[in-house]
Amino acid sequence: MPAPVLYLLGSAAPPILDATKVITQAQARGWDVVLGLTPTAADWLHGDLAHLEELTGHPVKSRYRRPGEPNPLPPADTILFAPATLTSINSLALGITTSWAIGYAAEAIGKRIPLLVMPCTNTALTAHPQFDRSIEALRGAGVRVLLGGGCYVPNEPGMGNPAAYPWDAALEALR
């Protein structure tokens, strides 16, 4: 039986720089991992993309396909969108699909593919009134948001520690 397919979607936040580690951990847990990135996250990982494609055995996806272009990726069984920035969370909640990663996650809601979102924001950004509305909208649509309760807890601005991002909690939540 083939391994279940996990789409790991990531925004441009420092924890995305640990993509290799997270993919390896997910693979050790039995997942076939496909990596999808927002355009800025893909730019941040530009020098590592060939390695990440070799590691996953799949192209790293960061743009929409052109009409008629084949889709080389297997369908997702589950999606983890982490790290998810304020922009990505708000865009997803509002259905603003200007990037492939947001569009894929938005479509997953309608297809009822299990979608977990773990933010990576600070307390100043989460104080923006749209953040709570977006979290509420996502949860109302059946998205599991990994915020608080042993998952991601926003830090004070400038006090983030990418090494402390709770990737293990996110991978555990995939069960």
Side-chain angles (χ1 to χ4, degrees), residues 103-125:
Y104 195 84
E107 196 171 82
I109 294 169
K111 290 181 174 180
R112 304 209 185 285
I113 299 170
L115 173 60
L116 291 77
V117 173
M118 189 161 68
C120 186
T121 58
N122 63 41
T123 55
L125 293 172

Side-chain angles (χ1 to χ4, degrees), residues 80-175:
L80 171 61
F81 200 138
T85 61
L86 176 69
T87 299
S88 292
I89 289 168
N90 289 341
S91 295
L92 179 57
L94 295 170
I96 301 170
T97 60
T98 55
S99 78
W100 177 84
I102 302 295
Y104 195 84
E107 196 171 82
I109 294 169
K111 290 181 174 180
R112 304 209 185 285
I113 299 170
L115 173 60
L116 291 77
V117 173
M118 189 161 68
C120 186
T121 58
N122 63 41
T123 55
L125 293 172
T126 59
H128 190 283
Q130 186 57 47
F131 181 79
D132 286 338
R133 290 191 291 264
S134 292
I135 296 299
E136 184 179 330
L138 291 172
R139 286 180 171 155
V143 175
R144 186 165 174 205
V145 180
L146 306 174
L147 179 62
C151 292
Y152 182 75
V153 176
N155 51 270
E156 292 297 317
M159 301 302 292
N161 177 4
Y165 190 70
W167 284 113
D168 287 337
L171 293 173
E172 192 61 32
L174 293 171
R175 293 176 163 241

Side-chain angles (χ1 to χ4, degrees), residues 2-105:
V5 178
L6 169 66
Y7 273 49
L8 173 61
L9 306 179
S11 303
I16 198 62
L17 299 175
D18 286 331
T20 296
K21 177 184 83 168
V22 177
I23 290 166
T24 302
Q25 290 173 345
Q27 290 170 330
R29 292 173 184 236
W31 293 99
D32 176 9
V33 181
V34 171
L35 180 61
L37 302 168
T38 62
T40 304
D43 182 58
W44 285 16
L45 293 173
H46 178 74
D48 296 328
L49 294 179
H51 166 72
L52 293 166
E53 289 182 352
E54 184 178 323
L55 180 63
T56 63
H58 303 289
V60 174
K61 185 88 172 181
S62 62
R63 65 168 184 82
Y64 285 106
R65 287 183 291 137
R66 292 178 183 93
E69 189 176 342
N71 181 5
L73 300 175
D77 293 304
T78 301
I79 300 166
L80 171 61
F81 200 138
T85 61
L86 176 69
T87 299
S88 292
I89 289 168
N90 289 341
S91 295
L92 179 57
L94 295 170
I96 301 170
T97 60
T98 55
S99 78
W100 177 84
I102 302 295
Y104 195 84

